[in-house]
Coordinates of all heavy atoms in Angstrom, one line a residue:
M2 N 89.3 22.0 107.0 CA 89.4 22.5 108.4 C 90.7 23.2 108.6 O 91.7 22.9 108.0 CB 89.4 21.2 109.3 CG 88.0 20.6 109.3 SD 87.9 19.3 110.6 CE 88.5 17.9 109.7
A3 N 90.6 24.2 109.5 CA 91.8 24.9 109.9 C 91.8 25.3 111.3 O 90.7 25.5 111.9 CB 91.9 26.2 109.0
V4 N 92.9 25.5 111.9 CA 93.1 26.0 113.3 C 94.1 27.1 113.2 O 95.2 27.0 112.7 CB 93.6 24.9 114.3 CG1 93.7 25.5 115.7 CG2 92.7 23.7 114.2
V5 N 93.6 28.3 113.7 CA 94.5 29.5 113.6 C 94.5 30.2 115.0 O 93.4 30.4 115.6 CB 93.9 30.5 112.5 CG1 94.7 31.7 112.4 CG2 93.8 29.8 111.2
D6 N 95.7 30.7 115.4 CA 95.8 31.5 116.6 C 95.9 32.9 116.2 O 96.6 33.3 115.3 CB 97.0 31.1 117.4 CG 96.9 29.7 118.0 OD1 95.8 29.2 118.2 OD2 98.0 29.1 118.3
I7 N 95.0 33.8 116.9 CA 95.1 35.2 116.6 C 95.2 36.0 117.9 O 94.7 35.5 118.9 CB 93.9 35.7 115.7 CG1 92.6 35.6 116.5 CG2 93.8 34.9 114.4 CD1 91.4 36.3 115.8
P8 N 95.7 37.2 117.8 CA 95.7 38.0 119.0 C 94.3 38.4 119.5 O 93.4 38.6 118.7 CB 96.5 39.3 118.6 CG 97.1 39.0 117.3 CD 96.3 37.8 116.7
R9 N 94.1 38.4 120.8 CA 92.8 38.7 121.4 C 92.3 40.1 120.8 O 91.1 40.2 120.6 CB 93.0 38.8 122.9 CG 91.7 39.1 123.6 CD 91.8 39.1 125.1 NE 92.2 37.8 125.6 CZ 91.3 36.8 125.9 NH1 90.0 37.0 125.6 NH2 91.7 35.7 126.4
S10 N 93.2 41.0 120.6 CA 92.9 42.3 120.1 C 92.3 42.3 118.6 O 91.7 43.2 118.2 CB 94.1 43.3 120.1 OG 95.1 42.8 119.3
S11 N 92.5 41.1 117.9 CA 92.0 41.0 116.6 C 90.7 40.2 116.4 O 90.1 40.1 115.3 CB 93.0 40.3 115.7 OG 94.2 41.1 115.6
V12 N 90.1 39.7 117.5 CA 89.0 38.9 117.5 C 87.7 39.7 117.0 O 87.0 39.2 116.1 CB 88.7 38.3 118.9 CG1 87.3 37.6 118.9 CG2 89.8 37.3 119.2
D13 N 87.5 40.9 117.5 CA 86.3 41.6 117.0 C 86.4 41.9 115.5 O 85.4 41.8 114.8 CB 86.2 42.9 117.8 CG 85.7 42.7 119.2 OD1 85.1 41.7 119.4 OD2 86.0 43.6 120.0
D14 N 87.6 42.2 115.0 CA 87.8 42.4 113.6 C 87.5 41.2 112.8 O 86.9 41.2 111.7 CB 89.3 42.9 113.3 CG 89.5 43.5 111.9 OD1 88.6 44.2 111.4 OD2 90.5 43.2 111.3
F15 N 88.0 40.0 113.3 CA 87.7 38.7 112.7 C 86.2 38.5 112.6 O 85.7 38.1 111.5 CB 88.4 37.6 113.4 CG 87.9 36.2 113.0 CD1 88.3 35.6 111.8 CD2 86.9 35.5 113.8 CE1 87.8 34.4 111.4 CE2 86.5 34.3 113.4 CZ 86.9 33.7 112.2
K16 N 85.5 38.7 113.7 CA 84.1 38.5 113.7 C 83.4 39.4 112.6 O 82.5 38.9 111.9 CB 83.5 38.8 115.1 CG 83.8 37.8 116.1 CD 83.2 38.2 117.4 CE 83.5 37.3 118.5 NZ 82.9 37.7 119.8
Q17 N 83.8 40.6 112.5 CA 83.1 41.5 111.6 C 83.4 41.2 110.1 O 82.6 41.1 109.2 CB 83.5 42.9 111.8 CG 82.9 43.5 113.1 CD 83.4 44.8 113.5 OE1 84.3 45.4 112.8 NE2 82.9 45.4 114.5
R18 N 84.7 40.9 109.8 CA 85.1 40.7 108.4 C 84.9 39.3 107.9 O 84.8 39.1 106.7 CB 86.6 41.0 108.3 CG 86.9 42.5 108.5 CD 88.4 42.8 108.4 NE 88.6 44.2 108.6 CZ 89.4 44.9 107.8 NH1 89.9 44.4 106.8 NH2 89.5 46.2 108.1
S19 N 84.8 38.3 108.8 CA 84.7 36.9 108.3 C 83.3 36.5 107.9 O 83.1 35.5 107.2 CB 85.1 36.0 109.5 OG 84.1 36.0 110.5
E20 N 82.3 37.3 108.2 CA 80.9 37.0 107.9 C 80.4 35.8 108.5 O 79.4 35.1 108.0 CB 80.7 37.0 106.4 CG 81.0 38.4 105.7 CD 80.7 38.4 104.2 OE1 80.1 37.5 103.7 OE2 81.2 39.3 103.6
F21 N 81.0 35.3 109.6 CA 80.5 34.2 110.4 C 79.5 34.6 111.4 O 78.8 33.8 112.0 CB 81.7 33.5 111.2 CG 82.5 32.6 110.4 CD1 83.8 32.9 110.1 CD2 82.0 31.4 109.9 CE1 84.6 32.1 109.3 CE2 82.8 30.6 109.1 CZ 84.1 30.9 108.8
A22 N 79.4 35.9 111.7 CA 78.4 36.4 112.7 C 77.0 36.1 112.3 O 76.7 35.9 111.2 CB 78.6 37.9 112.8
P23 N 76.1 35.9 113.3 CA 76.3 36.2 114.7 C 77.0 35.0 115.4 O 77.0 33.9 115.0 CB 74.9 36.4 115.2 CG 74.1 35.4 114.4 CD 74.7 35.5 113.0
F24 N 77.6 35.4 116.6 CA 78.3 34.3 117.4 C 77.4 34.1 118.7 O 76.8 35.0 119.2 CB 79.7 34.8 117.8 CG 80.7 34.6 116.7 CD1 80.8 35.5 115.7 CD2 81.5 33.4 116.7 CE1 81.7 35.3 114.7 CE2 82.4 33.2 115.7 CZ 82.5 34.2 114.6
A25 N 77.4 32.9 119.1 CA 76.7 32.5 120.3 C 77.7 31.8 121.3 O 78.7 31.2 120.9 CB 75.5 31.6 120.0
P26 N 77.3 31.8 122.6 CA 78.2 31.1 123.5 C 78.3 29.6 123.3 O 77.3 29.0 122.8 CB 77.6 31.4 124.9 CG 76.6 32.5 124.7 CD 76.2 32.4 123.2
G27 N 79.4 29.0 123.7 CA 79.6 27.5 123.6 C 80.0 27.0 122.3 O 80.5 27.7 121.4
V28 N 79.9 25.7 122.2 CA 80.3 25.0 121.0 C 79.2 24.1 120.5 O 78.6 23.3 121.4 CB 81.6 24.1 121.3 CG1 82.0 23.3 120.0 CG2 82.7 25.0 121.7
P29 N 78.8 24.0 119.3 CA 77.7 23.2 118.8 C 78.0 21.7 119.1 O 79.2 21.3 118.9 CB 77.6 23.4 117.3 CG 78.4 24.7 117.1 CD 79.4 24.8 118.2
Q30 N 77.1 20.9 119.5 CA 77.3 19.5 119.7 C 77.8 18.7 118.5 O 78.7 17.9 118.7 CB 75.9 18.8 120.1 CG 76.1 17.4 120.6 CD 76.9 17.3 121.9 OE1 77.0 18.2 122.7 NE2 77.4 16.1 122.1
L31 N 77.4 19.1 117.3 CA 77.9 18.4 116.1 C 79.4 18.5 115.9 O 80.0 17.8 115.1 CB 77.1 18.9 114.9 CG 77.2 20.3 114.5 CD1 78.4 20.6 113.6 CD2 75.9 20.7 113.8
W32 N 80.1 19.5 116.6 CA 81.5 19.6 116.4 C 82.3 18.4 116.9 O 83.4 18.2 116.5 CB 82.0 20.9 117.0 CG 81.9 22.0 116.0 CD1 80.7 22.5 115.5 CD2 82.9 22.8 115.4 NE1 81.0 23.5 114.6 CE2 82.3 23.7 114.5 CE3 84.3 22.8 115.6 CZ2 83.1 24.6 113.8 CZ3 85.0 23.7 114.9 CH2 84.4 24.5 114.0
K33 N 81.7 17.7 117.8 CA 82.5 16.5 118.3 C 82.9 15.6 117.2 O 84.0 15.1 117.1 CB 81.6 15.7 119.3 CG 81.7 16.3 120.7 CD 81.0 15.4 121.7 CE 81.4 15.8 123.1 NZ 81.1 14.8 124.1
S34 N 82.0 15.3 116.3 CA 82.3 14.4 115.2 C 83.3 15.0 114.2 O 84.1 14.3 113.7 CB 81.0 14.0 114.4 OG 80.4 15.1 113.8
Y35 N 83.3 16.3 114.0 CA 84.2 16.9 113.1 C 85.6 16.9 113.6 O 86.6 16.8 112.9 CB 83.8 18.4 112.9 CG 82.5 18.6 112.1 CD1 81.8 19.7 112.3 CD2 82.0 17.7 111.2 CE1 80.6 20.0 111.6 CE2 80.8 17.9 110.6 CZ 80.1 19.0 110.8 OH 79.0 19.2 110.1
W36 N 85.8 17.2 114.9 CA 87.1 17.3 115.5 C 87.6 16.2 116.3 O 88.7 16.2 116.9 CB 87.1 18.6 116.4 CG 86.9 19.8 115.5 CD1 85.8 20.5 115.3 CD2 87.9 20.5 114.7 NE1 86.0 21.5 114.4 CE2 87.3 21.5 114.0 CE3 89.3 20.3 114.5 CZ2 88.0 22.4 113.2 CZ3 89.9 21.1 113.7 CH2 89.3 22.2 113.0
D37 N 86.9 15.1 116.4 CA 87.3 13.9 117.2 C 88.6 13.4 116.8 O 89.5 13.1 117.7 CB 86.2 12.8 117.0 CG 86.4 11.7 118.1 OD1 86.6 12.1 119.3 OD2 86.3 10.5 117.7
A38 N 89.0 13.3 115.6 CA 90.2 12.7 115.1 C 91.4 13.6 115.5 O 92.6 13.2 115.5 CB 90.2 12.5 113.6
T39 N 91.2 14.9 115.8 CA 92.3 15.8 116.1 C 92.7 15.8 117.5 O 93.8 16.3 117.9 CB 91.9 17.3 115.8 OG1 90.8 17.7 116.7 CG2 91.4 17.5 114.4
G40 N 91.9 15.1 118.4 CA 92.2 15.1 119.8 C 91.9 16.4 120.5 O 92.3 16.7 121.6
M41 N 91.2 17.3 119.9 CA 90.9 18.7 120.4 C 89.4 18.8 120.9 O 89.0 19.9 121.3 CB 91.1 19.7 119.4 CG 92.5 19.8 118.9 SD 92.7 21.1 117.7 CE 94.4 20.9 117.2
V42 N 88.7 17.7 120.9 CA 87.3 17.8 121.3 C 87.1 18.3 122.8 O 86.3 19.2 123.1 CB 86.6 16.4 121.2 CG1 85.2 16.5 121.8 CG2 86.5 16.1 119.7
D43 N 87.9 17.7 123.7 CA 87.8 18.2 125.1 C 88.2 19.6 125.2 O 87.6 20.4 126.0 CB 88.7 17.3 126.0 CG 88.2 15.9 126.1 OD1 87.0 15.7 125.9 OD2 89.0 15.0 126.4
L44 N 89.2 20.1 124.5 CA 89.6 21.5 124.5 C 88.4 22.4 124.1 O 88.2 23.4 124.8 CB 90.8 21.7 123.6 CG 91.3 23.1 123.5 CD1 92.0 23.6 124.8 CD2 92.3 23.2 122.3
L45 N 87.8 22.0 123.1 CA 86.6 22.8 122.6 C 85.5 22.8 123.5 O 84.8 23.8 123.7 CB 86.2 22.3 121.2 CG 87.1 22.6 120.0 CD1 86.6 21.9 118.8 CD2 87.1 24.1 119.8
A46 N 85.2 21.7 124.1 CA 84.0 21.5 124.9 C 84.2 22.0 126.4 O 83.2 22.3 127.1 CB 83.5 20.1 124.9
S47 N 85.4 22.2 126.8 CA 85.7 22.4 128.2 C 85.6 23.9 128.6 O 85.4 24.2 129.8 CB 87.1 22.0 128.5 OG 88.1 22.8 127.8
N48 N 85.6 24.8 127.7 CA 85.6 26.2 128.1 C 84.3 26.9 127.9 O 83.9 27.0 126.7 CB 86.8 26.9 127.4 CG 87.1 28.3 127.9 OD1 86.2 29.0 128.4 ND2 88.3 28.7 127.9
T49 N 83.7 27.5 128.9 CA 82.4 28.2 128.8 C 82.6 29.5 128.1 O 81.6 30.1 127.7 CB 81.8 28.3 130.1 OG1 82.6 29.1 131.0 CG2 81.4 27.0 130.7
A50 N 83.8 30.0 127.9 CA 84.0 31.3 127.3 C 84.1 31.1 125.7 O 84.2 32.1 125.0 CB 85.3 31.9 127.8
N51 N 84.1 29.9 125.2 CA 84.1 29.7 123.8 C 82.8 30.3 123.1 O 81.8 30.4 123.7 CB 84.1 28.2 123.5 CG 85.5 27.6 123.8 OD1 86.5 28.3 123.9 ND2 85.5 26.3 123.9
E52 N 83.0 30.6 121.9 CA 81.9 31.1 121.0 C 81.9 30.4 119.7 O 82.9 29.9 119.2 CB 82.1 32.6 120.7 CG 82.0 33.5 121.9 CD 82.2 35.0 121.5 OE1 81.2 35.6 121.1 OE2 83.4 35.4 121.5
H53 N 80.7 30.3 119.1 CA 80.6 29.6 117.8 C 79.7 30.4 116.9 O 78.9 31.2 117.3 CB 80.0 28.2 117.9 CG 78.6 28.1 118.3 ND1 78.1 28.3 119.6 CD2 77.5 27.9 117.5 CE1 76.8 28.2 119.6 NE2 76.4 28.0 118.3
S54 N 79.9 30.3 115.6 CA 79.1 30.9 114.6 C 77.7 30.3 114.7 O 77.6 29.1 114.6 CB 79.7 30.8 113.2 OG 79.9 29.5 112.9
A55 N 76.7 31.1 114.8 CA 75.3 30.6 115.0 C 74.5 30.9 113.8 O 73.3 30.7 113.8 CB 74.7 31.3 116.2
K56 N 75.1 31.3 112.7 CA 74.4 31.6 111.5 C 73.9 30.3 110.8 O 74.6 29.3 110.9 CB 75.4 32.3 110.5 CG 74.8 32.9 109.3 CD 75.9 33.6 108.5 CE 75.3 34.4 107.3 NZ 76.3 35.2 106.7
D57 N 72.8 30.4 110.2 CA 72.3 29.2 109.5 C 73.0 29.1 108.1 O 72.8 29.9 107.2 CB 70.8 29.4 109.2 CG 70.1 28.2 108.5 OD1 70.8 27.2 108.4 OD2 69.0 28.3 108.1
N58 N 73.9 28.1 108.1 CA 74.8 28.0 106.9 C 74.4 26.8 106.0 O 75.0 25.8 106.1 CB 76.2 27.8 107.4 CG 76.8 29.0 107.9 OD1 76.8 30.0 107.2 ND2 77.4 29.0 109.1
R59 N 73.3 27.0 105.3 CA 72.9 25.9 104.4 C 73.8 25.7 103.2 O 74.1 24.5 102.9 CB 71.5 26.1 104.0 CG 70.6 26.1 105.2 CD 69.1 26.1 104.9 NE 68.4 26.1 106.2 CZ 67.2 26.3 106.3 NH1 66.4 26.5 105.3 NH2 66.6 26.3 107.5
A60 N 74.2 26.7 102.6 CA 75.1 26.6 101.5 C 75.8 27.9 101.2 O 75.1 28.9 101.0 CB 74.4 26.1 100.2
P61 N 77.1 28.0 101.1 CA 78.0 26.9 101.5 C 78.1 26.8 103.1 O 77.8 27.8 103.8 CB 79.4 27.4 101.0 CG 79.2 28.9 101.0 CD 77.8 29.2 100.8
R62 N 78.4 25.7 103.5 CA 78.4 25.4 105.0 C 79.8 25.9 105.5 O 80.8 25.4 105.1 CB 78.2 24.0 105.3 CG 76.8 23.5 104.9 CD 76.5 22.1 105.3 NE 75.3 21.6 104.7 CZ 74.1 21.7 105.1 NH1 73.9 22.4 106.2 NH2 73.1 21.2 104.5
R63 N 79.8 26.8 106.4 CA 81.0 27.4 107.0 C 80.7 27.6 108.5 O 79.7 28.1 108.9 CB 81.4 28.7 106.4 CG 81.6 28.7 105.0 CD 81.9 30.1 104.4 NE 81.3 31.2 105.1 CZ 81.9 32.3 105.4 NH1 83.2 32.4 105.2 NH2 81.3 33.2 106.1
Y64 N 81.6 27.1 109.3 CA 81.5 27.2 110.8 C 82.7 27.7 111.4 O 83.8 27.4 110.9 CB 81.1 25.8 111.4 CG 79.9 25.1 110.7 CD1 80.2 24.2 109.6 CD2 78.6 25.4 111.0 CE1 79.1 23.6 109.0 CE2 77.6 24.8 110.4 CZ 77.8 23.9 109.4 OH 76.8 23.3 108.7
A65 N 82.6 28.3 112.5 CA 83.8 28.8 113.3 C 83.5 28.7 114.8 O 82.4 28.9 115.2 CB 84.1 30.2 112.9
V66 N 84.6 28.3 115.5 CA 84.5 28.3 117.0 C 85.7 29.1 117.4 O 86.8 28.8 117.0 CB 84.6 26.8 117.6 CG1 84.8 26.9 119.1 CG2 83.3 26.1 117.2
I67 N 85.5 30.0 118.3 CA 86.6 30.8 118.9 C 86.8 30.2 120.3 O 85.9 30.3 121.2 CB 86.2 32.3 119.0 CG1 86.0 32.8 117.6 CG2 87.3 33.1 119.7 CD1 85.4 34.2 117.5
H68 N 88.0 29.6 120.5 CA 88.3 29.0 121.8 C 89.2 30.0 122.6 O 90.2 30.5 122.2 CB 89.1 27.8 121.6 CG 89.7 27.2 122.9 ND1 88.9 26.7 123.9 CD2 90.9 27.1 123.3 CE1 89.6 26.3 124.9 NE2 90.9 26.5 124.6
D69 N 88.6 30.4 123.8 CA 89.3 31.3 124.7 C 90.0 30.5 125.8 O 89.4 30.1 126.7 CB 88.3 32.3 125.3 CG 89.0 33.4 126.1 OD1 90.2 33.3 126.4 OD2 88.3 34.3 126.4
G70 N 91.3 30.3 125.5 CA 92.1 29.5 126.5 C 92.8 30.4 127.5 O 93.7 30.0 128.2
G71 N 92.4 31.7 127.5 CA 93.1 32.7 128.4 C 94.3 33.3 127.7 O 94.7 32.8 126.6
G72 N 94.9 34.3 128.3 CA 96.0 34.9 127.7 C 95.6 35.9 126.5 O 94.5 36.2 126.4
E73 N 96.6 36.2 125.8 CA 96.4 37.2 124.7 C 96.2 36.6 123.3 O 96.1 37.4 122.4 CB 97.6 38.2 124.7 CG 97.7 39.1 125.9 CD 96.4 39.9 126.1 OE1 95.9 40.5 125.2 OE2 95.9 39.9 127.3
T74 N 96.2 35.3 123.2 CA 95.9 34.6 122.0 C 94.7 33.8 122.1 O 94.5 33.0 123.0 CB 97.1 33.8 121.6 OG1 98.3 34.6 121.5 CG2 96.9 33.1 120.2
L75 N 93.8 33.8 121.1 CA 92.7 32.9 121.0 C 92.8 32.0 119.8 O 93.4 32.4 118.8 CB 91.4 33.7 120.9 CG 90.9 34.3 122.2 CD1 91.6 35.5 122.6 CD2 89.4 34.6 122.1
R76 N 92.3 30.8 119.9 CA 92.4 29.8 118.8 C 91.1 29.8 118.1 O 90.0 29.6 118.7 CB 92.8 28.5 119.4 CG 93.0 27.4 118.4 CD 93.7 26.3 118.9 NE 95.1 26.7 119.0 CZ 96.1 26.0 119.6 NH1 95.8 24.9 120.2 NH2 97.3 26.5 119.6
I77 N 91.1 29.9 116.8 CA 89.9 29.8 116.0 C 89.9 28.5 115.2 O 90.9 28.2 114.5 CB 89.8 31.0 115.0 CG1 89.7 32.3 115.9 CG2 88.6 30.9 114.1 CD1 89.7 33.6 115.1
F78 N 88.8 27.8 115.3 CA 88.6 26.5 114.6 C 87.6 26.8 113.5 O 86.5 27.3 113.7 CB 88.1 25.4 115.5 CG 89.0 25.0 116.6 CD1 89.2 25.8 117.7 CD2 89.8 23.9 116.5 CE1 90.0 25.4 118.8 CE2 90.6 23.5 117.5 CZ 90.8 24.2 118.6
V79 N 88.0 26.5 112.2 CA 87.1 26.8 111.1 C 86.9 25.5 110.3 O 87.8 24.7 110.1 CB 87.8 27.8 110.1 CG1 86.9 28.1 108.9 CG2 88.0 29.1 110.9
R80 N 85.7 25.3 109.9 CA 85.3 24.1 109.1 C 84.4 24.6 108.0 O 83.5 25.4 108.2 CB 84.5 23.1 109.9 CG 84.1 21.9 109.1 CD 83.6 20.8 110.0 NE 83.0 19.6 109.5 CZ 83.2 19.0 108.4 NH1 83.9 19.5 107.4 NH2 82.6 17.9 108.1
A81 N 84.7 24.2 106.8 CA 84.0 24.7 105.6 C 83.7 23.5 104.7 O 84.6 22.6 104.5 CB 84.7 25.7 104.8
N82 N 82.5 23.4 104.2 CA 82.1 22.4 103.2 C 81.8 23.0 101.9 O 81.1 24.1 101.9 CB 80.9 21.6 103.7 CG 81.1 20.8 104.9 OD1 82.2 20.6 105.3 ND2 80.0 20.5 105.6
C83 N 82.2 22.5 100.8 CA 82.0 23.0 99.5 C 80.7 22.5 98.9 O 80.3 21.4 99.2 CB 83.1 22.8 98.5 SG 84.6 23.5 99.1

């Protein structure tokens, strides 16, 4: 798991180059169990401007959530299973 802050101006580039696309609004329900120990669950679930990778990731499993907390920096939450 990783949490990375990037400039708002770089989000479109991240979406294109990361191969996580397509993105859909919100946060998947299953993310609660992944991020519960971090104390960030409320942060992820609270913002309707959040987006998540909606691609069917059967193998390898890779997920991303883009949290829009306002301002010029967005926080990207990434989870990958090998």
Side-chain angles (χ1 to χ4, degrees):
M2 291 189 270
V4 180
V5 179
D6 291 336
I7 67 170
R9 182 177 296 278
S10 61
S11 297
V12 171
D13 288 339
D14 192 42
F15 167 78
K16 287 179 178 181
Q17 291 174 355
R18 292 177 181 232
S19 68
E20 298 182 13
F21 281 112
F24 280 83
V28 178
Q30 187 65 25
L31 59 90
W32 272 63
K33 279 190 164 194
S34 62
Y35 294 153
W36 294 98
D37 193 42
T39 67
M41 296 181 186
V42 172
D43 292 336
L44 178 70
L45 286 170
S47 68
N48 193 327
T49 57
N51 288 343
E52 296 180 84
H53 71 280
S54 56
K56 189 176 189 178
D57 182 9
N58 287 307
R59 295 188 182 170
R62 297 183 192 275
R63 302 177 329 131
Y64 308 94
V66 169
I67 300 173
H68 173 67
D69 187 346
E73 291 304 311
T74 302
L75 280 78
R76 182 162 285 171
I77 298 178
F78 295 80
V79 177
R80 179 167 174 27
N82 297 342
C83 297

